[in-house]
Amino acid sequence: QVQLVESGGGLVQPGGSLRLSCVASGSIFSINAMGWYRQAPGKQRELVAAVTTSSTNYADSVKGRFTISRDDAVNTVYLQMNSLKPEDTAVYFCNVVDQVSSRRLIQYWGEGTLVTVSS
């Protein structure tokens, strides 16, 4: 079992910045991918950004404003969010894909951290 602990959410004014962190711990085999999703009130959960050992992927709505990175030494994924907009307001969830064998992947989710962008 893998546990994910997120931090860094909060209230920020439009145009401001926040940095989210997510630390994975427990029985980790080999982390394949790490990412962030978000869910705004009344909307479906959507991918914000994801990172593997060789690539990164961003939602069009955050390209150029958000940067995802990972530190495998401490099993941590970060999301630097700049130029925040009110429409970025959502609960942000950390996601980790653990490759337990050549054919088996297990996906884990954090509990979420609230980001509110408002003046």
Side-chain angles (χ1 to χ4, degrees), residues 40-98:
K43 295 188 176 181
Q44 290 188 331
R45 190 174 297 189
E46 63 175 0
L47 173 68
V48 177
V51 56
T52 68
T53 55
S54 59
S55 66
T56 57
N57 183 37
Y58 295 93
D60 288 343
S61 59
V62 307
K63 284 180 180 177
R65 300 188 297 122
F66 291 9
T67 302
I68 190 169
S69 60
R70 59 189 279 181
D71 185 342
D72 290 341
V74 290
N75 293 325
T76 300
V77 61
Y78 306 96
L79 185 68
Q80 178 66 44
M81 305 185 293
N82 299 327
S83 302
L84 282 160
K85 305 175 181 180
E87 51 264 43
D88 294 317
T89 296
V91 177
Y92 284 70
F93 296 90
C94 177
N95 175 269
V96 167
V97 178
D98 191 20

